[in-house]
């Protein structure tokens, strides 16, 4: 009986460990649930700047996919999780990075997005701290939502906005080429 108990504990520990992905100093779940839809980790990596780990990022989809274009254009629930690893990431730096990212992902065609970009950035209204987790989620029928530590902060409508938003990380001019490759599972 004692051997069975030990075997059970080892088995449960093994399952628990395998239900997560270690990325730098962050541990990210292999599955998440938004809008009652289960998403699986497609890939994860680190956003680095000047040799500092800024955040761990992961892409979550209904099923694995390596096509950035297909993912960005898809009208289905998906998410990007950002686990902040450095005090170098501030609210102002995140806002600036998002604006720059939108500029690159839309090839400078910001006019149709400007009001929604500013609304979305406005949801990041407190200072960013190490170990905070931001989930950027597209929910079909609702829009692009931002969660901070599991609490919804607000959302912006439009599939076009979602495509531009996700292309910040997985588009042709991503914020970090290495992170894009990792998120796409390459």
């Amino acid at each position: 009986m004692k051997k069975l108990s030990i075997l059970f504990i080892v088995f449960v520990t093994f399952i628990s460990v395998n239900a997560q992905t270690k990325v730098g100093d962050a541990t990210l779940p292999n599955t998440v649930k938004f809008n009652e839809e289960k998403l699986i980790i497609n890939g994860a990596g680190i956003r680095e700047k000047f040799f500092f780990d800024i955040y761990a990022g992961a892409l979550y989809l209904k099923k694995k996919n390596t096509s950035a274009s297909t993912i960005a254009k898809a009208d289905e629930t998906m998410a990007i999780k950002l686990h902040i690893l450095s005090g170098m990431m501030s609210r102002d730096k995140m806002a600036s990075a998002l604006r720059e990212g939108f500029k690159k992902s839309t090839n400078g065609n910001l006019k149709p997005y400007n009001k929604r970009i500013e609304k979305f950035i406005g949801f990041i209204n407190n200072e960013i701290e190490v170990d905070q987790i931001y989930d950027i989620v597209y929910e079909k029928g609702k829009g692009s939502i931002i969660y901070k530590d599991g609490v919804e902060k607000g959302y912006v409508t439009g599939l076009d906005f979602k495509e531009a938003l996700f292309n910040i990380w997985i588009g042709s001019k991503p914020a970090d080429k290495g992170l894009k490759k990792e998120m796409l599972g390459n």
Side-chain angles (χ1 to χ4, degrees):
M1 189 66 163
K2 191 175 182 179
K3 287 182 182 180
L4 226 70
S5 295
I6 292 171
L7 186 60
F8 178 74
I9 291 170
V10 169
F11 178 72
V12 169
T13 303
F14 178 75
I15 288 174
S16 296
V17 169
N18 285 333
Q20 300 175 343
T21 298
K22 185 86 169 138
V23 182
D25 290 337
T27 302
L28 304 173
N30 286 343
T31 62
V32 294
K33 198 171 191 180
F34 293 102
N35 194 29
E36 298 303 313
E37 294 186 65
K38 182 180 173 185
L39 305 174
I40 59 170
I41 196 165
N42 194 67
I46 298 286
R47 169 71 166 113
E48 296 175 330
K49 192 122 181 172
F50 306 117
F51 306 105
F52 290 100
D53 293 348
I54 305 300
Y55 58 78
L59 175 63
Y60 293 86
L61 306 171
K62 287 183 173 186
K63 62 181 182 177
K64 291 196 178 252
N65 192 330
T66 58
S67 171
S69 176
T70 301
I71 294 166
K73 291 177 194 261
D75 187 12
E76 63 182 45
T77 300
M78 62 184 64
I80 291 176
K81 183 176 288 291
L82 306 177
H83 183 128
I84 307 301
L85 299 174
S86 170
M88 291 177 58
M89 176 56 78
S90 67
R91 183 204 178 287
D92 289 341
K93 287 180 182 174
M94 176 69 88
S96 177
L98 285 169
R99 286 185 186 100
E100 182 63 26
F102 275 110
K103 185 176 179 182
K104 287 179 179 179
S105 75
T106 63
N107 293 314
N109 184 22
L110 292 171
K111 191 172 183 181
Y113 306 97
N114 276 328
K115 286 183 182 176
R116 292 180 287 169
I117 290 169
E118 293 310 313
K119 180 179 179 182
F120 191 79
I121 290 171
F123 298 138
I124 307 169
N125 52 14
N126 295 323
E127 196 50 64
I128 295 173
E129 297 174 14
V130 172
D131 284 330
Q132 286 181 331
I133 296 172
Y134 288 85
D135 290 297
I136 297 168
V137 181
Y138 176 75
E139 286 184 14
K140 183 177 181 173
K142 183 172 182 177
S144 299
I145 308 157
I146 189 161
Y147 293 86
K148 176 185 166 192
D149 295 329
V151 177
E152 182 177 329
K153 304 308 276 179
Y155 70 95
V156 173
T157 59
L159 183 58
D160 63 330
F161 182 84
K162 174 262 185 177
E163 184 177 350
L165 178 62
F166 276 68
N167 275 332
I168 291 172
W169 288 274
I170 63 171
S172 60
K173 299 174 189 171
D176 185 296
K177 289 178 183 176
L179 179 57
K180 171 188 173 176
K181 185 177 175 183
E182 302 261 346
M183 284 182 160
L184 292 175
N186 295 323

